[in-house]
Amino acid sequence: MSALCIKLQLKGYQLFLHFNLQSCPKCLHLYSHEYPDFVKIVEVGPRDGLQNEKEIVPTGVKIQLIDMLSGTGLSVIEATSFVSSKWVPQMSDHTEVLRGIQRAPNVRYPVLTPNMQGFQDAVAAGATEVAVFGSASETFSRKNINCSVDESMLRFKEVITLAKGQHIPVRGYVSCALGCPHEGHIDPSKVAQVAKSLYEMGCYEISLGDTIGVGTPGSMCEMMQTVMKEVPVSALAVHCHDTYGQALPNILTALQMGVRVVDSAVAGLGGCPYAQGSTGNVSTEDVLYMLHGMGIETGVNLAKVVEAGDFICNFLCRKTNSKVAQASSKTL
Amino acid sequence: TKQNMVKISPVVVFFHLSPFSFIFLQTIKAHEYPDFVKIVEVGPRDGLQNEKEIVPTGVKIQLIDMLSGTGLSVIEATSFVSSKWVPQMSDHTEVLRGIQRAPNVRYPVLTPNMQGFQDAVAAGATEVAVFGSASETFSRKNINCSVDESMLRFKEVITLAKGQHIPVRGYVSCALGCPHEGHIDPSKVAQVAKSLYEMGCYEISLGDTIGVGTPGSMCEMMQTVMKEVPVSALAVHCHDTYGQALPNILTALQMGVRVVDSAVAGLGGCPYAQGSTGNVSTEDVLYMLHGMGIETGVNLAKVVEAGDFICNFLCRKTNSKVAQASSKTL
């Protein structure tokens, strides 16, 4: 027998112990793949997905999309973004969307709030959870939100302080975690530094984003190891883009390192503004297919997500970016 | 094996027998990845075979010649099947004779039976491949005989090939699921792989024919097969119909596999899910492997060029995300 495998299931973990005697007869090489029993999906389609769609989607359609997603079992659906409509016209109906959706019990609807003004508008509109967006790249920060990383942290600190006072949880994002469209390679220590700042300021969870999808299991592993020295893995999430087809292997790598929260977008909504015509967000359907195939529970009904994806793609008059949705609709 | 692999000897595992039991393991976050992975390029055969439009012989030859200049060491050139069954491959002899064979590159061809083998040898083949199935139903519908009957045919081919010092590669289709039978027992995959290996195939490529596998089923299937065939003789042939090819390949690599099949531009759809993709694209596989520091000897940019060429001819978009992103990066 050249390989022995033991599968154990204990206390929230499935543990595979492989003894591969073949590769080295002189010693045992032990490697385990510790997969969680449960992974939380953070659905970012209505915000990150639609934000990157050129065509302005009517408020009613956004609300219907979110309402459909609310019935799939997803526990977190990022609803909209309280940014200036001058910068992001797609999100200019943020107040109407947040007020218009039917909030399902046990589902949270975080909204982006880049500054104090956005936060106040969000609270006035009924927000009960918010998110702030930092960057591991100075250049991206300046070009994207017109200030340095340090300056953005000051803004976020104000938001987080106010949010804490009102018992509103704050999620933190770190963009360009695996590469920047302007700077190229990003040092993992910079990602760790920004993640740590956000975490210490009070963000309950930090989502590490591969903004341009250039990461691979190699760079994901290295970045995660560095960040995990500063932030506990239980507070980390991954937000992988599929621009180079690497999202699922990157997510798999993150799961193997202990991550239990994955961001994704229904139908893989949203392109990549830095690679015209290319995809952006990984599709929720494809992530679910992988997780469920591995015996990892998510609480989400894949078929219902496919329906929600069909709805929005029909409206946008284009094909889904989800391979699962494509294959499911056309299986002979 | 890579430098970052952690050797643990002895292994210390603490198992606490209490209501709060947990397993505590010493640091084992390293994964054993090979330094080098061999890519078997199946675009000209498996890829084009699934394209509806008949590609002219000259275009096939040009595609293979372009691929021959990329650093790929194995390019599956064509298939010596009856043109009645697979019209796309009816020019097999012309293709094999027409390509410019690069030194250090092998050009295996499919030979489903004795007739095909003889025709292949007459056309100059120096390596052949045979295609078994882990699913009885798929075998009957695809090649019109049972798995056992197919093994007899292959034994004839392999015996003759051995006598002429022609290496034979074996494929096992439906390794992770069958379009007709659904779930396939890993033990059946192992059985077919073992038969092919023991008959003399130097390498067995395990194919997720309809792309339904995930890291879970890949791991289980590989474990079972690895009890019968050494991992050094195994390859994976993953389809990307459900977007699972790269995580499945990653899983296989973690289990010791060092040979990966792929197709330039992700050529070839899935005959069982209309409009869906089939083969995983060579470009996307290379991007992942190179990003992990794993060498392949293959020049990604040149593969993208070859992919552009064939997609331009077919008048359609590449299935490779890397090729798409590379051509349009602002």
Side-chain angles (χ1 to χ4, degrees), chain A residues 221-296:
Chain A
C221 184
E222 191 192 357
M223 185 274 291
M224 290 294 310
Q225 280 170 357
T226 312
V227 174
M228 280 160 63
K229 290 176 191 161
E230 309 293 347
V231 181
V233 71
S234 55
L236 293 173
V238 288
H239 183 111
C240 298
H241 277 200
D242 205 38
T243 316
Y244 292 81
Q246 307 297 306
L248 289 186
N250 289 343
I251 289 168
L252 189 70
T253 300
L255 293 178
Q256 289 174 353
M257 302 186 76
V259 167
R260 291 187 182 207
V261 184
V262 175
D263 299 1
S264 59
V266 59
L269 282 177
C272 179
Y274 302 95
Q276 190 189 357
S278 293
T279 58
N281 285 299
V282 67
S283 71
T284 301
E285 298 93 316
D286 294 5
V287 173
L288 289 173
Y289 187 92
M290 181 176 80
L291 297 177
H292 293 174
M294 295 165 66
I296 296 171

Side-chain angles (χ1 to χ4, degrees), chain A residues 2 214 242 276 289 323 330, chain B residues 212 226 240 274 321 328:
Chain A
S2 60
V214 291
D242 205 38
Q276 190 189 357
Y289 187 92
K323 290 203 165 177
K330 292 165 181 170
Chain B
V212 291
M226 281 161 63
D240 204 38
Q274 190 189 354
K321 289 204 164 177
K328 293 167 182 170

Side-chain angles (χ1 to χ4, degrees), chain B:
Chain B
T1 54
K2 293 195 69 62
Q3 289 298 310
N4 63 0
M5 181 190 72
V6 175
K7 291 183 188 173
I8 300 171
S9 174
V11 174
V12 182
V13 175
F14 296 101
F15 188 84
H16 296 256
L17 295 174
S18 76
F20 307 102
S21 58
F22 66 94
I23 284 204
F24 173 77
L25 288 153
Q26 291 191 337
T27 311
I28 327 171
K29 293 302 182 186
H31 290 293
E32 217 170 277
Y33 289 121
D35 280 338
F36 183 91
V37 163
K38 178 177 81 175
I39 302 290
V40 173
E41 172 60 46
V42 299
R45 200 279 307 167
D46 193 15
L48 292 185
Q49 185 170 297
N50 280 303
E51 293 288 332
K52 288 192 177 52
E53 182 177 339
I54 300 290
V55 177
T57 307
V59 174
K60 285 180 182 135
I61 288 171
Q62 194 173 343
L63 173 64
I64 295 170
D65 287 347
M66 286 181 83
L67 292 168
S68 292
T70 62
L72 285 160
S73 60
V74 186
I75 302 168
E76 205 173 62
T78 187
S79 181
F80 283 79
V81 289
S82 152
S83 54
K84 186 181 77 172
W85 289 106
V86 188
Q88 180 73 270
M89 299 284 124
S90 57
D91 56 359
H92 40 63
T93 300
E94 293 79 1
V95 167
L96 195 55
R97 286 197 178 137
I99 57 176
Q100 307 246 15
R101 296 200 195 204
N104 304 319
V105 182
R106 289 150 46 202
Y107 301 90
V109 298
L110 249 67
T111 52
N113 49 37
M114 288 292 284
Q115 184 62 56
F117 177 78
Q118 280 154 358
D119 293 343
V121 173
T126 48
E127 181 170 332
V128 300
V130 294
F131 236 96
S133 171
S135 156
E136 282 293 342
T137 315
F138 191 84
S139 187
R140 286 182 191 281
K141 286 184 183 266
N142 212 37
I143 54 174
N144 219 19
C145 64
S146 73
V147 172
D148 286 347
E149 284 163 349
S150 72
M151 291 295 130
L152 292 174
R153 284 185 203 173
F154 301 149
K155 189 153 179 61
E156 291 183 327
V157 170
I158 295 168
T159 305
L160 208 58
K162 268 188 190 175
Q164 301 184 37
H165 305 291
I166 291 177
V168 184
R169 189 186 208 226
Y171 281 90
V172 183
S173 59
C174 297
L176 293 174
C178 169
H180 314 291
E181 293 187 14
H183 173 74
I184 294 294
D185 204 292
S187 61
K188 182 71 179 178
V189 184
Q191 185 192 325
V192 176
K194 182 182 179 180
S195 298
L196 290 168
Y197 185 67
E198 289 181 343
M199 284 197 286
C201 291
Y202 75 91
E203 191 170 271
I204 313 296
S205 177
L206 306 167
D208 183 11
T209 305
I210 48 172
V212 291
T214 63
S217 55
M218 170 63 85
C219 183
E220 193 192 354
M221 184 274 292
M222 289 295 309
Q223 280 164 13
T224 313
V225 174
M226 281 161 63
K227 290 176 193 164
E228 309 294 345
V229 181
V231 70
S232 55
L234 293 174
V236 287
H237 184 111
C238 298
H239 277 200
D240 204 38
T241 317
Y242 291 82
Q244 307 297 307
L246 289 186
N248 289 343
I249 289 168
L250 190 70
T251 302
L253 293 178
Q254 288 174 355
M255 301 186 76
V257 166
R258 296 187 180 203
V259 184
V260 174
D261 299 0
S262 59
V264 60
L267 282 177
C270 179
Y272 301 97
Q274 190 189 354
S276 292
T277 57
N279 286 300
V280 67
S281 71
T282 301
E283 298 92 317
D284 295 3
V285 172
L286 289 174
Y287 187 93
M288 181 175 81
L289 296 177
H290 293 173
M292 295 165 66
I294 296 172
E295 292 191 23
T296 61
V298 185
N299 183 316
L300 171 53
K302 290 189 175 178
V303 177
V304 170
E305 272 178 45
D308 284 348
F309 163 74
I310 191 64
C311 288
N312 282 338
F313 174 81
L314 293 169
C315 292
R316 66 164 178 70
K317 248 174 65 164
T318 176
N319 282 323
S320 156
K321 289 204 164 177
V322 169
Q324 278 176 39
S326 306
S327 71
K328 293 167 182 170
T329 305
L330 300 172

